[in-house]
Every structure is written in C-alpha cells, then in structure tokens.
Amino acid sequence: MAQNTTLSIPPRTWTQLTNADATNVTVQVIQSLAPVSLQAAIGAVAPTTEAGSLRLPAGDFIVNTALQNIFPGAGLVTRLYAYSEQGAEVLISHA
C-alpha cells in the first residue's frame, strides 16, 4: 500500500517505515538529535541489531531509490526499518 507520511520513531525501538512491501523509497530524517539507523528486511520482521545499517543525520535524505540499490548485499529486501537512540521524525514515501 502506497504511503507518503512522517512517522515518529520512538527511542531505542526498531520501527517499520514501510507499511507494505516496497521497491523504491524516499526517506528523510526530519528531526533527530542523533543519526537515524536504517535497516532493510525481508518481510515484516524487525532487525535485532544495527549491524549493516545505514546511518542518516537530520536533514539527510534518499530520493526514490530502490531498496536493492541502498542495500545491494542484503538479498531481496522488501521493508525498511528505522532506529534512533533519542527518537526521531522521519518522512517515508513509497508506492
């Protein structure tokens, strides 16, 4: 299911950004005091570690990019999760 929204990421909790399987995503860290870790997954199973995560500071973004291009070594990833030590506001858009 397509979405274009801003999500609140609670502190120290892996939070699913995509609300369904996605191919391409646009992501921007709107507000955060520390970098936000992004981790791809196959299906709706949250990561358990930050290993292999991409870290984006506030203001950084990824525009309409295939999950496979962001995480080329992770297999056929379909979902995106975010983690923040102090919480964050993250824009997510995907079809």
Side-chain angles (χ1 to χ4, degrees), residues 5-11 13 15-17 82 87-91:
T5 192
T6 301
L7 298 175
S8 294
I9 309 303
T13 303
T15 303
Q16 186 173 201
L17 296 178
E89 298 291 318
V90 176
L91 171 127

Side-chain angles (χ1 to χ4, degrees), residues 44-59:
V45 177
T48 57
T49 177
E50 286 188 74
S53 295
L54 174 69
R55 294 174 56 91
L56 289 181

Side-chain angles (χ1 to χ4, degrees), residues 46-76:
T48 57
T49 177
E50 286 188 74
S53 295
L54 174 69
R55 294 174 56 91
L56 289 181
D60 263 10
F61 55 87
I62 298 168
V63 177
N64 195 26
T65 304
L67 285 172
Q68 289 301 133
N69 290 340
I70 300 168
F71 301 96
L76 297 174

Side-chain angles (χ1 to χ4, degrees), residues 29 32-37 50 54-58 83-88:
V29 179
S32 181
L33 297 175
V36 172
S37 295
E50 286 188 74
L54 174 69
R55 294 174 56 91
L56 289 181
Y83 181 92
S84 175
E85 281 294 321
Q86 300 175 347

